[in-house]
Amino acid sequence: MKELTKTMGLNDCTIDFLDNPAKMLINGEWVSAQSGETFKTINPADGSFLNEIPLAGIADVNKAVNAAKKSFETVWNNTTTPADRASLLWKLADLMERDKQILMELETLDNGKPLEKARYDVDSSINHFRYYSGWATKIEGNTLPVANDSIAFTKREPLGVTGLIVPWNFPLMIASWKLAPALACGNCCVLKPAEQTSLSALYLGKLIEEAGFPDGVVNIITGPGLPTGQAISSHMNIDKISFTGSTKVGRQIMEAAARSNLKKVSLELGGKSPNIIFEDANLDHVFESIVWSSFYNTGQECTLGSRIYVQRSIYQKVVDILKTKADSLKINKGMLNPDLGPMISESQLQTVLKYIDIGINEGAELITGGKRIQGELGNGYFIEPTIFAHQNDQLQIVQEEIFGPVVVISSFDTFDEVVARANNSIYGLAAAVWTNDISKAHRFANEVQSGTVWINGYDMFDPSVPFGGFKQSGIGKEMGKSAIELYTKEKTVWIGLKD
Ligand code: NAP
Ligand code: MG
């Protein structure tokens, strides 16, 4: 490992981290799986081995949950004050800032994304911990206007042990979106990263330890959906599960919660977001944005603007410019900081190639792309950015989430037509509209069925702004004040005042 990685100019700490077999964090100790089982994590840029990761079984999950429960009852929701929690979260953010380069390198090696895009993820994660550090001391209840012979007030209490299950596309960032509010609210956590990308979460565990969080407050266990994820979602002593991933697994999580202890569930799921361009839009701004809204993170993004609708008079111009821009994207290994890196895995690449075949067989017009990239990059999971044109919203490639660098583009004539087409989806995660007509923009925002609407922009995020999906894109909103509601329960207290 040392020789290979040195040639990439990696930080010595990154190399050291990769040189030692990974351990999980349970009750403040770094441990292997009780069964001794492990799995391998690889670099999707070339398929090379990165590290051996413990494969947690039910016994390991039980140990983590017991530790979290004990810490919750004896320390975190007992002797630790909200101000203590605030300063620990802030300290963690400082340590992430100090080790930003290592976190970026681990994310790039494990996930494949370009180094500068990993920087954005780490910065966003740091911002989340700082934002929720501020919340820890500001979680208040209400006093209610009841009759004079009584008082009624509410308190917001932590839920207890939270199970946090994270996907592989933004591993550190989505872990932070969950950990930061869960901890600020006074919960203990059992975090499971996706099996393809455990490294940045495990490194974060080291920083959590260094920051001085009490043992058992954050436990990080590694392993696949089965058995590890399922052991979390069906656990009788986990009080809440926060899941980000596919709609298919989201259903299984809800079912497991229902069959076990009816734990609270919040879900951030898939999407097929419409990106709508009216002829009165500022096209310079559209053209700056559209290549990123279509292909960011090699298309492995839940909010990807994967259904583009363009008003007829400017349709051909947009198609031509998007094609030119897609064809000129630099695609390479993430450590070389290209525009796009590889896909996460051979199987995700094969899924995308299958959808490209489906699109061709369904009669959509392939404008560009469509092939795996061979040659020097042949050992990695690289694929060309792909554009299909169509006029049929019933096509499988228009209805289903592909989760790769594939967009479908279509022309429209009227406002009513395009709103109906935008809403013709089982998903409702995000939508964007480009127009200089403020009334039209607001009418669109009113009528579109999606949890987030961007007007004259795309992928705008901030820790203070709630994010989450409508329809089959999810349940509950993360970020902002909404996440405080997600990670607390409201208790009502009545006091009788009669003599
Ligand atoms: P996934 O297959 O649903 O997996 C997500 C996580 O769930 C992984 O940690 C996975 O573990 C785990 N898991 C799998 N089966 C499980 C089970 N039966 N019980 C409990 N946990 C289980 O999703 P993915 O392929 O990693 O990510 C892509 C999907 O995530 C896309 O659909 C995308 O739209 C969605 N996503 C949504 C958002 C959002 O905010 N709305 C953000 C990012 C991604 P293993 O992978 O280790 O098996
Ligand atoms: Mg990997």
Side-chain angles (χ1 to χ4, degrees), residues 462-478:
D462 188 277
S464 66
V465 181
F467 172 73
F470 288 1
K471 301 203 270 188
Q472 294 185 36
S473 289
I475 298 176
K477 287 257 185 182
E478 295 191 304

PDB file of all heavy atoms in Angstrom, residues 462-478:
ATOM      1  N   ASP A 462     -27.764  24.525   2.311  1.00  0.00           N
ATOM      2  CA  ASP A 462     -27.179  25.190   3.477  1.00  0.00           C
ATOM      3  C   ASP A 462     -27.683  24.432   4.706  1.00  0.00           C
ATOM      4  O   ASP A 462     -28.834  23.980   4.710  1.00  0.00           O
ATOM      5  CB  ASP A 462     -27.640  26.654   3.527  1.00  0.00           C
ATOM      6  CG  ASP A 462     -26.908  27.431   4.604  1.00  0.00           C
ATOM      7  OD1 ASP A 462     -27.320  27.369   5.786  1.00  0.00           O
ATOM      8  OD2 ASP A 462     -25.905  28.084   4.261  1.00  0.00           O
ATOM      9  N   PRO A 463     -26.835  24.297   5.745  1.00  0.00           N
ATOM     10  CA  PRO A 463     -27.291  23.555   6.928  1.00  0.00           C
ATOM     11  C   PRO A 463     -28.576  24.113   7.526  1.00  0.00           C
ATOM     12  O   PRO A 463     -29.325  23.391   8.178  1.00  0.00           O
ATOM     13  CB  PRO A 463     -26.144  23.713   7.929  1.00  0.00           C
ATOM     14  CG  PRO A 463     -24.957  24.073   7.130  1.00  0.00           C
ATOM     15  CD  PRO A 463     -25.446  24.753   5.878  1.00  0.00           C
ATOM     16  N   SER A 464     -28.876  25.390   7.297  1.00  0.00           N
ATOM     17  CA  SER A 464     -30.058  25.999   7.921  1.00  0.00           C
ATOM     18  C   SER A 464     -31.339  25.759   7.122  1.00  0.00           C
ATOM     19  O   SER A 464     -32.419  26.111   7.582  1.00  0.00           O
ATOM     20  CB  SER A 464     -29.847  27.507   8.072  1.00  0.00           C
ATOM     21  OG  SER A 464     -29.788  28.108   6.795  1.00  0.00           O
ATOM     22  N   VAL A 465     -31.218  25.186   5.930  1.00  0.00           N
ATOM     23  CA  VAL A 465     -32.394  25.069   5.049  1.00  0.00           C
ATOM     24  C   VAL A 465     -32.872  23.611   4.988  1.00  0.00           C
ATOM     25  O   VAL A 465     -32.125  22.733   4.565  1.00  0.00           O
ATOM     26  CB  VAL A 465     -32.045  25.568   3.620  1.00  0.00           C
ATOM     27  CG1 VAL A 465     -33.269  25.481   2.722  1.00  0.00           C
ATOM     28  CG2 VAL A 465     -31.524  26.986   3.677  1.00  0.00           C
ATOM     29  N   PRO A 466     -34.133  23.358   5.391  1.00  0.00           N
ATOM     30  CA  PRO A 466     -34.642  21.984   5.414  1.00  0.00           C
ATOM     31  C   PRO A 466     -34.566  21.323   4.039  1.00  0.00           C
ATOM     32  O   PRO A 466     -34.791  21.964   3.011  1.00  0.00           O
ATOM     33  CB  PRO A 466     -36.100  22.151   5.854  1.00  0.00           C
ATOM     34  CG  PRO A 466     -36.136  23.460   6.562  1.00  0.00           C
ATOM     35  CD  PRO A 466     -35.117  24.323   5.899  1.00  0.00           C
ATOM     36  N   PHE A 467     -34.273  20.032   4.055  1.00  0.00           N
ATOM     37  CA  PHE A 467     -34.162  19.261   2.814  1.00  0.00           C
ATOM     38  C   PHE A 467     -34.793  17.882   3.014  1.00  0.00           C
ATOM     39  O   PHE A 467     -34.481  17.191   3.981  1.00  0.00           O
ATOM     40  CB  PHE A 467     -32.686  19.105   2.416  1.00  0.00           C
ATOM     41  CG  PHE A 467     -32.488  18.171   1.257  1.00  0.00           C
ATOM     42  CD1 PHE A 467     -32.842  18.575  -0.028  1.00  0.00           C
ATOM     43  CD2 PHE A 467     -31.988  16.892   1.441  1.00  0.00           C
ATOM     44  CE1 PHE A 467     -32.698  17.705  -1.100  1.00  0.00           C
ATOM     45  CE2 PHE A 467     -31.835  16.018   0.372  1.00  0.00           C
ATOM     46  CZ  PHE A 467     -32.185  16.431  -0.897  1.00  0.00           C
ATOM     47  N   GLY A 468     -35.658  17.495   2.095  1.00  0.00           N
ATOM     48  CA  GLY A 468     -36.265  16.168   2.167  1.00  0.00           C
ATOM     49  C   GLY A 468     -37.332  16.041   1.105  1.00  0.00           C
ATOM     50  O   GLY A 468     -37.768  17.051   0.542  1.00  0.00           O
ATOM     51  N   GLY A 469     -37.762  14.827   0.849  1.00  0.00           N
ATOM     52  CA  GLY A 469     -38.595  14.588  -0.323  1.00  0.00           C
ATOM     53  C   GLY A 469     -40.079  14.426  -0.056  1.00  0.00           C
ATOM     54  O   GLY A 469     -40.488  14.041   1.033  1.00  0.00           O
ATOM     55  N   PHE A 470     -40.879  14.730  -1.085  1.00  0.00           N
ATOM     56  CA  PHE A 470     -42.305  14.404  -1.113  1.00  0.00           C
ATOM     57  C   PHE A 470     -42.452  13.031  -1.780  1.00  0.00           C
ATOM     58  O   PHE A 470     -41.516  12.474  -2.323  1.00  0.00           O
ATOM     59  CB  PHE A 470     -43.080  15.429  -1.952  1.00  0.00           C
ATOM     60  CG  PHE A 470     -43.245  16.796  -1.319  1.00  0.00           C
ATOM     61  CD1 PHE A 470     -42.705  17.096  -0.077  1.00  0.00           C
ATOM     62  CD2 PHE A 470     -43.947  17.788  -1.991  1.00  0.00           C
ATOM     63  CE1 PHE A 470     -42.866  18.366   0.496  1.00  0.00           C
ATOM     64  CE2 PHE A 470     -44.119  19.057  -1.441  1.00  0.00           C
ATOM     65  CZ  PHE A 470     -43.574  19.344  -0.199  1.00  0.00           C
ATOM     66  N   LYS A 471     -43.676  12.550  -1.776  1.00  0.00           N
ATOM     67  CA  LYS A 471     -44.050  11.292  -2.440  1.00  0.00           C
ATOM     68  C   LYS A 471     -43.064  10.166  -2.050  1.00  0.00           C
ATOM     69  O   LYS A 471     -42.676  10.080  -0.890  1.00  0.00           O
ATOM     70  CB  LYS A 471     -44.155  11.505  -3.961  1.00  0.00           C
ATOM     71  CG  LYS A 471     -45.200  12.576  -4.314  1.00  0.00           C
ATOM     72  CD  LYS A 471     -45.728  12.425  -5.729  1.00  0.00           C
ATOM     73  CE  LYS A 471     -44.920  13.197  -6.729  1.00  0.00           C
ATOM     74  NZ  LYS A 471     -45.530  13.218  -8.068  1.00  0.00           N
ATOM     75  N   GLN A 472     -42.621   9.369  -3.011  1.00  0.00           N
ATOM     76  CA  GLN A 472     -41.763   8.238  -2.637  1.00  0.00           C
ATOM     77  C   GLN A 472     -40.294   8.638  -2.498  1.00  0.00           C
ATOM     78  O   GLN A 472     -39.405   7.788  -2.466  1.00  0.00           O
ATOM     79  CB  GLN A 472     -41.946   7.089  -3.623  1.00  0.00           C
ATOM     80  CG  GLN A 472     -43.349   6.501  -3.528  1.00  0.00           C
ATOM     81  CD  GLN A 472     -43.558   5.276  -4.386  1.00  0.00           C
ATOM     82  OE1 GLN A 472     -42.659   4.451  -4.557  1.00  0.00           O
ATOM     83  NE2 GLN A 472     -44.751   5.133  -4.944  1.00  0.00           N
ATOM     84  N   SER A 473     -40.036   9.938  -2.403  1.00  0.00           N
ATOM     85  CA  SER A 473     -38.656  10.392  -2.152  1.00  0.00           C
ATOM     86  C   SER A 473     -38.360  10.517  -0.664  1.00  0.00           C
ATOM     87  O   SER A 473     -37.236  10.872  -0.306  1.00  0.00           O
ATOM     88  CB  SER A 473     -38.392  11.728  -2.843  1.00  0.00           C
ATOM     89  OG  SER A 473     -38.329  11.549  -4.239  1.00  0.00           O
ATOM     90  N   GLY A 474     -39.325  10.256   0.188  1.00  0.00           N
ATOM     91  CA  GLY A 474     -38.941  10.221   1.594  1.00  0.00           C
ATOM     92  C   GLY A 474     -39.985  10.684   2.574  1.00  0.00           C
ATOM     93  O   GLY A 474     -41.092  11.081   2.206  1.00  0.00           O
ATOM     94  N   ILE A 475     -39.560  10.641   3.837  1.00  0.00           N
ATOM     95  CA  ILE A 475     -40.414  11.047   4.958  1.00  0.00           C
ATOM     96  C   ILE A 475     -39.554  11.870   5.899  1.00  0.00           C
ATOM     97  O   ILE A 475     -38.513  11.399   6.359  1.00  0.00           O
ATOM     98  CB  ILE A 475     -40.962   9.809   5.698  1.00  0.00           C
ATOM     99  CG1 ILE A 475     -41.840   8.975   4.760  1.00  0.00           C
ATOM    100  CG2 ILE A 475     -41.734  10.224   6.954  1.00  0.00           C
ATOM    101  CD1 ILE A 475     -42.351   7.698   5.378  1.00  0.00           C
ATOM    102  N   GLY A 476     -39.982  13.097   6.184  1.00  0.00           N
ATOM    103  CA  GLY A 476     -39.249  13.938   7.137  1.00  0.00           C
ATOM    104  C   GLY A 476     -38.241  14.826   6.439  1.00  0.00           C
ATOM    105  O   GLY A 476     -37.808  14.528   5.317  1.00  0.00           O
ATOM    106  N   LYS A 477     -37.913  15.933   7.093  1.00  0.00           N
ATOM    107  CA  LYS A 477     -36.934  16.869   6.527  1.00  0.00           C
ATOM    108  C   LYS A 477     -35.695  16.901   7.407  1.00  0.00           C
ATOM    109  O   LYS A 477     -35.799  17.104   8.622  1.00  0.00           O
ATOM    110  CB  LYS A 477     -37.526  18.276   6.494  1.00  0.00           C
ATOM    111  CG  LYS A 477     -38.587  18.441   5.434  1.00  0.00           C
ATOM    112  CD  LYS A 477     -38.033  19.194   4.257  1.00  0.00           C
ATOM    113  CE  LYS A 477     -39.127  19.465   3.248  1.00  0.00           C
ATOM    114  NZ  LYS A 477     -38.631  20.152   2.075  1.00  0.00           N
ATOM    115  N   GLU A 478     -34.529  16.749   6.787  1.00  0.00           N
ATOM    116  CA  GLU A 478     -33.269  16.938   7.503  1.00  0.00           C
ATOM    117  C   GLU A 478     -32.864  18.404   7.382  1.00  0.00           C
ATOM    118  O   GLU A 478     -33.441  19.168   6.621  1.00  0.00           O
ATOM    119  CB  GLU A 478     -32.191  16.020   6.917  1.00  0.00           C
ATOM    120  CG  GLU A 478     -32.528  14.553   7.126  1.00  0.00           C
ATOM    121  CD  GLU A 478     -31.376  13.617   6.810  1.00  0.00           C
ATOM    122  OE1 GLU A 478     -30.857  13.676   5.682  1.00  0.00           O
ATOM    123  OE2 GLU A 478     -31.000  12.817   7.704  1.00  0.00           O
TER     124      GLU A 478
END
